[in-house]
Amino acid sequence: MRIGVLTGGGDCPGLNAVIRAVVRKGVKEYGHEFVGFRDGWRGPLEGLTMQLDIAATRGILPRGGTILGSSRTNPFKIENGVERIMENLKSAGIDALIAIGGEDTLGVAAKLDGLGVNVIGVPKTIDNDLNNTDFTFGFDTAVNIAVEAIDRLHTTAESHHRALIVEVMGRHAGWIALHSGIAGGAACILIPEQKFSVEKVCEWVESRFKTNYAPIIVIAEGAIPQDGDIVVKDSTLDSFGHAKLSGIGDWLAQEIEARTGKEARTSVLGHIQRGGTPSAFDRVLATRFGLMAITAAHEGDWGKMVALHGTDIVRVPLLSATEKLKAVSPARYKEAEIFFG
Ligand code: F6P
């Protein structure tokens, strides 16, 4: 078979490990050929390809980003986008596609599967919010980066008797905030799934100061105050209709200063969470996903996404990954709440 591989959406550490595993097993065990499509769905849309063989994937396991490039191109929002993809796949002699991405990329993959394209999906996102997989790769690395930042912020917060706020990624799901906040000993964790009371946050801040300990607040970019709205950077939307978030941390710092009289500052971790080398956990998960994805393609098990269930790598319907968001449950949030204040 001649198999196309693409990576779409926001990049994350571990993408190269998937590509390497797909190609290594695909060539060595099954004798398949590969074509790399550049920059997500823009690749098959515009016929942008690159050579993808064992030589091209040597040495990429520990490298962040993606050798294929990525974009947030949505072919369903482009005139004749789907027809152009079909034509380009045909003229490049592509029998199947392995699409590595999050809700948007896999949403497109599922639609193309419905139109008869042979597709296998691999779940990726630092946000860990894809349904029907226990974890996505990239998440563990992002959490470790956030925890390192929190550990560092603790010492400077203590020196200056300040409240320090760490704004992490997570549009609709607070997984990064929850895990990094628990691991970093945050005074409170604010996530998109539960609107927060600024009054309560100020109480927690003051109670930390009372014990001569400076509070660290971890807030997801999509967290929403009880009497307010989500904070966006500007009014533009990407081709999947997502707004650019960021700013809730600064807003909260101002509120804390005004209400408690204590100094507050915000650090926005932003794309630092997506960059650099993947953790060992993510390298192993991404590798196992890649190995299962190429086996699924070899067996013609189309319309599936590889997933982690417990410690097993399984195949689930592609559609199940995007039918709903995997949000932080109230019970999981409650586990963290005992440490607030
Ligand atoms: O989808 C993953 C994510 O990390 C979100 O949490 C964040 O809002 C978004 O990407 C930002 O991506 P970009 O700035 O690359 O569009």
Side-chain angles (χ1 to χ4, degrees), residues 81-132:
V82 176
E83 291 77 1
R84 280 164 63 192
I85 285 187
M86 300 289 200
E87 273 165 32
N88 285 331
L89 291 182
K90 202 169 164 204
S91 65
I94 302 296
D95 302 297
L97 269 182
I98 294 181
I100 311 165
E103 54 168 331
D104 300 328
T105 306
L106 296 185
V108 170
K111 283 189 196 164
L112 289 176
D113 170 67
L115 296 171
V117 179
N118 295 332
V119 188
I120 301 291
V122 179
K124 126 340 320 186
T125 166
I126 64 162
D127 297 344
N128 196 38
D129 57 1
L130 273 172
N131 192 43
N132 213 351

mmCIF file of all heavy atoms in Angstrom, residues 81-132:
data_model
loop_
_atom_site.group_PDB
_atom_site.id
_atom_site.type_symbol
_atom_site.label_atom_id
_atom_site.label_comp_id
_atom_site.label_asym_id
_atom_site.label_seq_id
_atom_site.Cartn_x
_atom_site.Cartn_y
_atom_site.Cartn_z
ATOM 1 N N GLY A 81 -12.885 22.049 -1.520
ATOM 2 C CA GLY A 81 -11.779 21.513 -0.725
ATOM 3 C C GLY A 81 -11.741 19.992 -0.733
ATOM 4 O O GLY A 81 -10.686 19.389 -0.951
ATOM 5 N N VAL A 82 -12.881 19.386 -0.514
ATOM 6 C CA VAL A 82 -12.920 17.924 -0.422
ATOM 7 C C VAL A 82 -12.614 17.294 -1.782
ATOM 8 O O VAL A 82 -11.822 16.332 -1.872
ATOM 9 C CB VAL A 82 -14.292 17.461 0.120
ATOM 10 C CG1 VAL A 82 -14.404 15.953 0.136
ATOM 11 C CG2 VAL A 82 -14.499 18.030 1.513
ATOM 12 N N GLU A 83 -13.194 17.860 -2.854
ATOM 13 C CA GLU A 83 -12.935 17.330 -4.204
ATOM 14 C C GLU A 83 -11.444 17.419 -4.519
ATOM 15 O O GLU A 83 -10.854 16.480 -5.073
ATOM 16 C CB GLU A 83 -13.711 18.139 -5.273
ATOM 17 C CG GLU A 83 -15.220 17.966 -5.242
ATOM 18 C CD GLU A 83 -15.916 18.756 -4.121
ATOM 19 O OE1 GLU A 83 -15.223 19.476 -3.358
ATOM 20 O OE2 GLU A 83 -17.141 18.633 -4.000
ATOM 21 N N ARG A 84 -10.828 18.538 -4.133
ATOM 22 C CA ARG A 84 -9.387 18.703 -4.412
ATOM 23 C C ARG A 84 -8.568 17.654 -3.662
ATOM 24 O O ARG A 84 -7.593 17.108 -4.188
ATOM 25 C CB ARG A 84 -8.936 20.116 -4.037
ATOM 26 C CG ARG A 84 -9.305 21.121 -5.128
ATOM 27 C CD ARG A 84 -9.220 22.544 -4.628
ATOM 28 N NE ARG A 84 -7.886 22.952 -4.221
ATOM 29 C CZ ARG A 84 -7.622 24.064 -3.536
ATOM 30 N NH1 ARG A 84 -8.607 24.880 -3.190
ATOM 31 N NH2 ARG A 84 -6.396 24.377 -3.204
ATOM 32 N N ILE A 85 -8.967 17.374 -2.423
ATOM 33 C CA ILE A 85 -8.246 16.344 -1.660
ATOM 34 C C ILE A 85 -8.375 14.988 -2.354
ATOM 35 O O ILE A 85 -7.385 14.275 -2.552
ATOM 36 C CB ILE A 85 -8.784 16.271 -0.206
ATOM 37 C CG1 ILE A 85 -8.273 17.472 0.584
ATOM 38 C CG2 ILE A 85 -8.384 14.970 0.475
ATOM 39 C CD1 ILE A 85 -8.586 17.455 2.050
ATOM 40 N N MET A 86 -9.589 14.663 -2.763
ATOM 41 C CA MET A 86 -9.824 13.364 -3.428
ATOM 42 C C MET A 86 -8.954 13.243 -4.683
ATOM 43 O O MET A 86 -8.322 12.214 -4.913
ATOM 44 C CB MET A 86 -11.304 13.230 -3.841
ATOM 45 C CG MET A 86 -12.287 13.299 -2.700
ATOM 46 S SD MET A 86 -12.206 11.828 -1.673
ATOM 47 C CE MET A 86 -13.790 11.916 -0.859
ATOM 48 N N GLU A 87 -8.934 14.309 -5.481
ATOM 49 C CA GLU A 87 -8.131 14.285 -6.724
ATOM 50 C C GLU A 87 -6.650 14.119 -6.423
ATOM 51 O O GLU A 87 -5.961 13.320 -7.046
ATOM 52 C CB GLU A 87 -8.298 15.606 -7.484
ATOM 53 C CG GLU A 87 -9.495 15.624 -8.411
ATOM 54 C CD GLU A 87 -9.806 17.049 -8.842
ATOM 55 O OE1 GLU A 87 -8.873 17.869 -8.972
ATOM 56 O OE2 GLU A 87 -11.009 17.335 -9.026
ATOM 57 N N ASN A 88 -6.166 14.894 -5.434
ATOM 58 C CA ASN A 88 -4.737 14.824 -5.123
ATOM 59 C C ASN A 88 -4.339 13.459 -4.557
ATOM 60 O O ASN A 88 -3.246 12.964 -4.836
ATOM 61 C CB ASN A 88 -4.341 15.938 -4.144
ATOM 62 C CG ASN A 88 -4.284 17.279 -4.843
ATOM 63 O OD1 ASN A 88 -4.011 17.355 -6.035
ATOM 64 N ND2 ASN A 88 -4.563 18.351 -4.100
ATOM 65 N N LEU A 89 -5.227 12.861 -3.771
ATOM 66 C CA LEU A 89 -4.909 11.528 -3.226
ATOM 67 C C LEU A 89 -4.817 10.536 -4.383
ATOM 68 O O LEU A 89 -3.933 9.680 -4.423
ATOM 69 C CB LEU A 89 -5.985 11.072 -2.234
ATOM 70 C CG LEU A 89 -6.081 11.837 -0.896
ATOM 71 C CD1 LEU A 89 -7.169 11.238 -0.009
ATOM 72 C CD2 LEU A 89 -4.738 11.820 -0.143
ATOM 73 N N LYS A 90 -5.741 10.693 -5.323
ATOM 74 C CA LYS A 90 -5.769 9.781 -6.469
ATOM 75 C C LYS A 90 -4.503 9.942 -7.326
ATOM 76 O O LYS A 90 -3.829 8.967 -7.648
ATOM 77 C CB LYS A 90 -7.020 10.077 -7.310
ATOM 78 C CG LYS A 90 -7.432 8.922 -8.170
ATOM 79 C CD LYS A 90 -8.798 9.155 -8.777
ATOM 80 C CE LYS A 90 -8.972 8.155 -9.917
ATOM 81 N NZ LYS A 90 -9.935 8.605 -10.895
ATOM 82 N N SER A 91 -4.164 11.209 -7.622
ATOM 83 C CA SER A 91 -3.016 11.387 -8.514
ATOM 84 C C SER A 91 -1.701 11.018 -7.831
ATOM 85 O O SER A 91 -0.735 10.662 -8.510
ATOM 86 C CB SER A 91 -2.982 12.802 -9.093
ATOM 87 O OG SER A 91 -2.779 13.710 -8.068
ATOM 88 N N ALA A 92 -1.658 11.057 -6.478
ATOM 89 C CA ALA A 92 -0.419 10.640 -5.795
ATOM 90 C C ALA A 92 -0.445 9.130 -5.532
ATOM 91 O O ALA A 92 0.494 8.587 -4.928
ATOM 92 C CB ALA A 92 -0.264 11.418 -4.482
ATOM 93 N N GLY A 93 -1.499 8.463 -5.957
ATOM 94 C CA GLY A 93 -1.588 7.000 -5.792
ATOM 95 C C GLY A 93 -1.734 6.569 -4.339
ATOM 96 O O GLY A 93 -1.217 5.524 -3.933
ATOM 97 N N ILE A 94 -2.416 7.392 -3.548
ATOM 98 C CA ILE A 94 -2.543 7.107 -2.104
ATOM 99 C C ILE A 94 -3.707 6.136 -1.847
ATOM 100 O O ILE A 94 -4.832 6.381 -2.273
ATOM 101 C CB ILE A 94 -2.785 8.419 -1.313
ATOM 102 C CG1 ILE A 94 -1.637 9.418 -1.539
ATOM 103 C CG2 ILE A 94 -2.999 8.151 0.170
ATOM 104 C CD1 ILE A 94 -0.295 8.980 -1.032
ATOM 105 N N ASP A 95 -3.411 5.050 -1.140
ATOM 106 C CA ASP A 95 -4.459 4.071 -0.811
ATOM 107 C C ASP A 95 -5.117 4.377 0.526
ATOM 108 O O ASP A 95 -6.262 3.985 0.759
ATOM 109 C CB ASP A 95 -3.848 2.664 -0.720
ATOM 110 C CG ASP A 95 -3.160 2.278 -2.023
ATOM 111 O OD1 ASP A 95 -3.869 2.193 -3.040
ATOM 112 O OD2 ASP A 95 -1.923 2.091 -2.019
ATOM 113 N N ALA A 96 -4.374 5.032 1.406
ATOM 114 C CA ALA A 96 -4.914 5.281 2.753
ATOM 115 C C ALA A 96 -4.196 6.453 3.394
ATOM 116 O O ALA A 96 -3.096 6.821 2.981
ATOM 117 C CB ALA A 96 -4.709 4.038 3.616
ATOM 118 N N LEU A 97 -4.844 7.022 4.427
ATOM 119 C CA LEU A 97 -4.260 8.163 5.144
ATOM 120 C C LEU A 97 -4.183 7.858 6.639
ATOM 121 O O LEU A 97 -5.146 7.328 7.215
ATOM 122 C CB LEU A 97 -5.175 9.373 5.009
ATOM 123 C CG LEU A 97 -4.982 10.362 3.870
ATOM 124 C CD1 LEU A 97 -5.991 11.495 4.013
ATOM 125 C CD2 LEU A 97 -3.556 10.917 3.846
ATOM 126 N N ILE A 98 -3.074 8.213 7.247
ATOM 127 C CA ILE A 98 -2.998 8.185 8.715
ATOM 128 C C ILE A 98 -2.953 9.645 9.148
ATOM 129 O O ILE A 98 -2.014 10.382 8.811
ATOM 130 C CB ILE A 98 -1.776 7.388 9.215
ATOM 131 C CG1 ILE A 98 -1.952 5.906 8.829
ATOM 132 C CG2 ILE A 98 -1.604 7.544 10.737
ATOM 133 C CD1 ILE A 98 -0.842 4.979 9.273
ATOM 134 N N ALA A 99 -4.011 10.078 9.847
ATOM 135 C CA ALA A 99 -4.116 11.479 10.275
ATOM 136 C C ALA A 99 -3.848 11.556 11.771
ATOM 137 O O ALA A 99 -4.519 10.890 12.564
ATOM 138 C CB ALA A 99 -5.512 12.011 9.963
ATOM 139 N N ILE A 100 -2.853 12.360 12.135
ATOM 140 C CA ILE A 100 -2.480 12.500 13.547
ATOM 141 C C ILE A 100 -2.934 13.893 13.983
ATOM 142 O O ILE A 100 -2.453 14.904 13.452
ATOM 143 C CB ILE A 100 -0.947 12.353 13.729
ATOM 144 C CG1 ILE A 100 -0.437 11.103 12.988
ATOM 145 C CG2 ILE A 100 -0.569 12.314 15.205
ATOM 146 C CD1 ILE A 100 1.081 11.053 12.805
ATOM 147 N N GLY A 101 -3.888 13.961 14.914
ATOM 148 C CA GLY A 101 -4.389 15.279 15.283
ATOM 149 C C GLY A 101 -5.367 15.241 16.441
ATOM 150 O O GLY A 101 -5.638 14.189 17.026
ATOM 151 N N GLY A 102 -5.910 16.416 16.731
ATOM 152 C CA GLY A 102 -6.883 16.557 17.806
ATOM 153 C C GLY A 102 -8.302 16.586 17.254
ATOM 154 O O GLY A 102 -8.553 16.087 16.148
ATOM 155 N N GLU A 103 -9.220 17.234 17.985
ATOM 156 C CA GLU A 103 -10.640 17.169 17.619
ATOM 157 C C GLU A 103 -10.920 17.687 16.205
ATOM 158 O O GLU A 103 -11.757 17.128 15.500
ATOM 159 C CB GLU A 103 -11.507 17.924 18.637
ATOM 160 C CG GLU A 103 -11.068 19.358 18.847
ATOM 161 C CD GLU A 103 -12.092 20.202 19.621
ATOM 162 O OE1 GLU A 103 -13.290 19.927 19.535
ATOM 163 O OE2 GLU A 103 -11.648 21.152 20.278
ATOM 164 N N ASP A 104 -10.195 18.732 15.776
ATOM 165 C CA ASP A 104 -10.473 19.313 14.459
ATOM 166 C C ASP A 104 -9.954 18.413 13.335
ATOM 167 O O ASP A 104 -10.683 18.096 12.398
ATOM 168 C CB ASP A 104 -9.820 20.701 14.347
ATOM 169 C CG ASP A 104 -10.353 21.651 15.416
ATOM 170 O OD1 ASP A 104 -11.532 21.509 15.785
ATOM 171 O OD2 ASP A 104 -9.595 22.519 15.883
ATOM 172 N N THR A 105 -8.691 18.022 13.442
ATOM 173 C CA THR A 105 -8.075 17.170 12.412
ATOM 174 C C THR A 105 -8.806 15.833 12.316
ATOM 175 O O THR A 105 -9.080 15.335 11.217
ATOM 176 C CB THR A 105 -6.583 16.937 12.762
ATOM 177 O OG1 THR A 105 -5.976 18.218 12.929
ATOM 178 C CG2 THR A 105 -5.863 16.161 11.693
ATOM 179 N N LEU A 106 -9.140 15.260 13.463
ATOM 180 C CA LEU A 106 -9.814 13.958 13.450
ATOM 181 C C LEU A 106 -11.279 14.112 13.037
ATOM 182 O O LEU A 106 -11.866 13.186 12.469
ATOM 183 C CB LEU A 106 -9.695 13.269 14.814
ATOM 184 C CG LEU A 106 -8.250 12.910 15.230
ATOM 185 C CD1 LEU A 106 -8.246 12.118 16.533
ATOM 186 C CD2 LEU A 106 -7.524 12.102 14.141
ATOM 187 N N GLY A 107 -11.859 15.285 13.283
ATOM 188 C CA GLY A 107 -13.220 15.557 12.811
ATOM 189 C C GLY A 107 -13.257 15.532 11.285
ATOM 190 O O GLY A 107 -14.152 14.939 10.676
ATOM 191 N N VAL A 108 -12.255 16.149 10.654
ATOM 192 C CA VAL A 108 -12.157 16.129 9.192
ATOM 193 C C VAL A 108 -11.922 14.689 8.719
ATOM 194 O O VAL A 108 -12.551 14.214 7.765
ATOM 195 C CB VAL A 108 -11.007 17.054 8.700
ATOM 196 C CG1 VAL A 108 -10.743 16.861 7.213
ATOM 197 C CG2 VAL A 108 -11.333 18.513 9.004
ATOM 198 N N ALA A 109 -11.032 13.978 9.434
ATOM 199 C CA ALA A 109 -10.735 12.581 9.058
ATOM 200 C C ALA A 109 -12.007 11.738 9.091
ATOM 201 O O ALA A 109 -12.257 10.938 8.183
ATOM 202 C CB ALA A 109 -9.680 11.996 9.995
ATOM 203 N N ALA A 110 -12.821 11.932 10.121
ATOM 204 C CA ALA A 110 -14.055 11.140 10.249
ATOM 205 C C ALA A 110 -15.014 11.443 9.098
ATOM 206 O O ALA A 110 -15.651 10.544 8.550
ATOM 207 C CB ALA A 110 -14.716 11.423 11.600
ATOM 208 N N LYS A 111 -15.087 12.721 8.709
ATOM 209 C CA LYS A 111 -15.977 13.083 7.591
ATOM 210 C C LYS A 111 -15.466 12.460 6.284
ATOM 211 O O LYS A 111 -16.250 11.978 5.470
ATOM 212 C CB LYS A 111 -16.037 14.605 7.427
ATOM 213 C CG LYS A 111 -16.927 15.278 8.459
ATOM 214 C CD LYS A 111 -17.088 16.742 8.054
ATOM 215 C CE LYS A 111 -17.622 17.588 9.176
ATOM 216 N NZ LYS A 111 -17.436 19.016 8.960
ATOM 217 N N LEU A 112 -14.141 12.494 6.091
ATOM 218 C CA LEU A 112 -13.580 11.913 4.863
ATOM 219 C C LEU A 112 -13.794 10.400 4.850
ATOM 220 O O LEU A 112 -14.053 9.800 3.803
ATOM 221 C CB LEU A 112 -12.083 12.238 4.752
ATOM 222 C CG LEU A 112 -11.756 13.710 4.450
ATOM 223 C CD1 LEU A 112 -10.252 13.926 4.450
ATOM 224 C CD2 LEU A 112 -12.342 14.157 3.098
ATOM 225 N N ASP A 113 -13.700 9.794 6.027
ATOM 226 C CA ASP A 113 -13.963 8.350 6.133
ATOM 227 C C ASP A 113 -15.391 8.065 5.646
ATOM 228 O O ASP A 113 -15.623 7.126 4.881
ATOM 229 C CB ASP A 113 -13.776 7.918 7.596
ATOM 230 C CG ASP A 113 -14.269 6.506 7.842
ATOM 231 O OD1 ASP A 113 -13.663 5.577 7.297
ATOM 232 O OD2 ASP A 113 -15.274 6.335 8.565
ATOM 233 N N GLY A 114 -16.324 8.934 6.054
ATOM 234 C CA GLY A 114 -17.717 8.792 5.624
ATOM 235 C C GLY A 114 -17.870 8.945 4.106
ATOM 236 O O GLY A 114 -18.831 8.451 3.521
ATOM 237 N N LEU A 115 -16.906 9.624 3.485
ATOM 238 C CA LEU A 115 -16.972 9.835 2.029
ATOM 239 C C LEU A 115 -16.154 8.783 1.267
ATOM 240 O O LEU A 115 -15.906 8.916 0.074
ATOM 241 C CB LEU A 115 -16.455 11.235 1.685
ATOM 242 C CG LEU A 115 -17.296 12.397 2.239
ATOM 243 C CD1 LEU A 115 -16.579 13.724 2.030
ATOM 244 C CD2 LEU A 115 -18.659 12.425 1.564
ATOM 245 N N GLY A 116 -15.676 7.784 2.004
ATOM 246 C CA GLY A 116 -15.012 6.656 1.341
ATOM 247 C C GLY A 116 -13.496 6.696 1.322
ATOM 248 O O GLY A 116 -12.867 5.829 0.712
ATOM 249 N N VAL A 117 -12.879 7.702 1.983
ATOM 250 C CA VAL A 117 -11.407 7.710 2.053
ATOM 251 C C VAL A 117 -10.991 6.720 3.151
ATOM 252 O O VAL A 117 -11.625 6.664 4.205
ATOM 253 C CB VAL A 117 -10.885 9.129 2.391
ATOM 254 C CG1 VAL A 117 -9.362 9.150 2.483
ATOM 255 C CG2 VAL A 117 -11.364 10.138 1.348
ATOM 256 N N ASN A 118 -9.941 5.941 2.907
ATOM 257 C CA ASN A 118 -9.459 4.987 3.918
ATOM 258 C C ASN A 118 -8.620 5.743 4.943
ATOM 259 O O ASN A 118 -7.510 6.180 4.636
ATOM 260 C CB ASN A 118 -8.600 3.903 3.258
ATOM 261 C CG ASN A 118 -9.414 3.049 2.311
ATOM 262 O OD1 ASN A 118 -10.622 2.881 2.489
ATOM 263 N ND2 ASN A 118 -8.758 2.511 1.293
ATOM 264 N N VAL A 119 -9.158 5.895 6.148
ATOM 265 C CA VAL A 119 -8.477 6.734 7.149
ATOM 266 C C VAL A 119 -8.304 6.002 8.474
ATOM 267 O O VAL A 119 -9.189 5.275 8.922
ATOM 268 C CB VAL A 119 -9.320 7.999 7.450
ATOM 269 C CG1 VAL A 119 -8.543 8.958 8.335
ATOM 270 C CG2 VAL A 119 -9.710 8.722 6.190
ATOM 271 N N ILE A 120 -7.146 6.243 9.101
ATOM 272 C CA ILE A 120 -6.909 5.838 10.500
ATOM 273 C C ILE A 120 -6.503 7.103 11.250
ATOM 274 O O ILE A 120 -5.718 7.908 10.742
ATOM 275 C CB ILE A 120 -5.740 4.804 10.608
ATOM 276 C CG1 ILE A 120 -6.025 3.531 9.798
ATOM 277 C CG2 ILE A 120 -5.442 4.471 12.077
ATOM 278 C CD1 ILE A 120 -7.141 2.650 10.321
ATOM 279 N N GLY A 121 -7.028 7.289 12.460
ATOM 280 C CA GLY A 121 -6.700 8.477 13.250
ATOM 281 C C GLY A 121 -5.791 8.146 14.424
ATOM 282 O O GLY A 121 -5.860 7.055 15.000
ATOM 283 N N VAL A 122 -4.936 9.102 14.764
ATOM 284 C CA VAL A 122 -4.090 8.988 15.964
ATOM 285 C C VAL A 122 -4.338 10.234 16.811
ATOM 286 O O VAL A 122 -4.183 11.353 16.324
ATOM 287 C CB VAL A 122 -2.586 8.889 15.580
ATOM 288 C CG1 VAL A 122 -1.721 8.790 16.838
ATOM 289 C CG2 VAL A 122 -2.331 7.706 14.660
ATOM 290 N N PRO A 123 -4.743 10.060 18.087
ATOM 291 C CA PRO A 123 -5.109 11.209 18.911
ATOM 292 C C PRO A 123 -3.906 11.953 19.467
ATOM 293 O O PRO A 123 -3.010 11.358 20.049
ATOM 294 C CB PRO A 123 -5.885 10.567 20.066
ATOM 295 C CG PRO A 123 -5.304 9.199 20.193
ATOM 296 C CD PRO A 123 -4.862 8.791 18.816
ATOM 297 N N LYS A 124 -3.904 13.254 19.289
ATOM 298 C CA LYS A 124 -2.832 14.108 19.816
ATOM 299 C C LYS A 124 -3.434 15.387 20.346
ATOM 300 O O LYS A 124 -4.361 15.920 19.733
ATOM 301 C CB LYS A 124 -1.840 14.308 18.721
ATOM 302 C CG LYS A 124 -1.283 15.515 18.130
ATOM 303 C CD LYS A 124 -1.622 16.913 18.045
ATOM 304 C CE LYS A 124 -2.940 17.505 17.852
ATOM 305 N NZ LYS A 124 -2.965 18.938 17.666
ATOM 306 N N THR A 125 -3.004 15.817 21.483
ATOM 307 C CA THR A 125 -3.257 17.173 21.974
ATOM 308 C C THR A 125 -2.684 17.298 23.375
ATOM 309 O O THR A 125 -2.838 16.380 24.189
ATOM 310 C CB THR A 125 -4.751 17.570 22.019
ATOM 311 O OG1 THR A 125 -4.874 18.756 22.813
ATOM 312 C CG2 THR A 125 -5.656 16.517 22.627
ATOM 313 N N ILE A 126 -2.039 18.422 23.623
ATOM 314 C CA ILE A 126 -1.539 18.629 24.988
ATOM 315 C C ILE A 126 -2.708 18.785 25.950
ATOM 316 O O ILE A 126 -2.565 18.586 27.133
ATOM 317 C CB ILE A 126 -0.584 19.842 25.100
ATOM 318 C CG1 ILE A 126 -1.305 21.154 24.787
ATOM 319 C CG2 ILE A 126 0.651 19.671 24.252
ATOM 320 C CD1 ILE A 126 -0.561 22.386 25.288
ATOM 321 N N ASP A 127 -3.894 19.144 25.418
ATOM 322 C CA ASP A 127 -5.049 19.413 26.290
ATOM 323 C C ASP A 127 -5.665 18.154 26.891
ATOM 324 O O ASP A 127 -6.442 18.235 27.843
ATOM 325 C CB ASP A 127 -6.133 20.167 25.509
ATOM 326 C CG ASP A 127 -5.668 21.531 25.040
ATOM 327 O OD1 ASP A 127 -4.640 22.008 25.562
ATOM 328 O OD2 ASP A 127 -6.313 22.114 24.159
ATOM 329 N N ASN A 128 -5.373 16.981 26.311
ATOM 330 C CA ASN A 128 -5.891 15.690 26.796
ATOM 331 C C ASN A 128 -7.420 15.624 26.810
ATOM 332 O O ASN A 128 -8.006 14.909 27.618
ATOM 333 C CB ASN A 128 -5.347 15.410 28.214
ATOM 334 C CG ASN A 128 -5.504 13.954 28.616
ATOM 335 O OD1 ASN A 128 -5.342 13.052 27.784
ATOM 336 N ND2 ASN A 128 -5.863 13.709 29.863
ATOM 337 N N ASP A 129 -8.070 16.354 25.918
ATOM 338 C CA ASP A 129 -9.534 16.438 25.990
ATOM 339 C C ASP A 129 -10.257 15.603 24.928
ATOM 340 O O ASP A 129 -11.456 15.771 24.719
ATOM 341 C CB ASP A 129 -9.988 17.909 25.904
ATOM 342 C CG ASP A 129 -9.501 18.609 24.645
ATOM 343 O OD1 ASP A 129 -8.829 17.968 23.817
ATOM 344 O OD2 ASP A 129 -9.790 19.812 24.484
ATOM 345 N N LEU A 130 -9.520 14.707 24.251
ATOM 346 C CA LEU A 130 -10.194 13.856 23.254
ATOM 347 C C LEU A 130 -10.899 12.704 23.948
ATOM 348 O O LEU A 130 -10.325 12.051 24.833
ATOM 349 C CB LEU A 130 -9.183 13.316 22.251
ATOM 350 C CG LEU A 130 -8.902 14.202 21.052
ATOM 351 C CD1 LEU A 130 -7.750 13.645 20.232
ATOM 352 C CD2 LEU A 130 -10.141 14.340 20.163
ATOM 353 N N ASN A 131 -12.101 12.435 23.507
ATOM 354 C CA ASN A 131 -12.905 11.384 24.105
ATOM 355 C C ASN A 131 -12.387 9.992 23.712
ATOM 356 O O ASN A 131 -11.763 9.821 22.671
ATOM 357 C CB ASN A 131 -14.350 11.564 23.598
ATOM 358 C CG ASN A 131 -15.317 10.716 24.355
ATOM 359 O OD1 ASN A 131 -15.243 10.619 25.588
ATOM 360 N ND2 ASN A 131 -16.225 10.077 23.651
ATOM 361 N N ASN A 132 -12.689 9.020 24.560
ATOM 362 C CA ASN A 132 -12.435 7.599 24.280
ATOM 363 C C ASN A 132 -10.958 7.210 24.243
ATOM 364 O O ASN A 132 -10.596 6.208 23.634
ATOM 365 C CB ASN A 132 -13.139 7.157 22.978
ATOM 366 C CG ASN A 132 -13.598 5.708 23.071
ATOM 367 O OD1 ASN A 132 -13.249 5.005 24.011
ATOM 368 N ND2 ASN A 132 -14.378 5.265 22.103
#
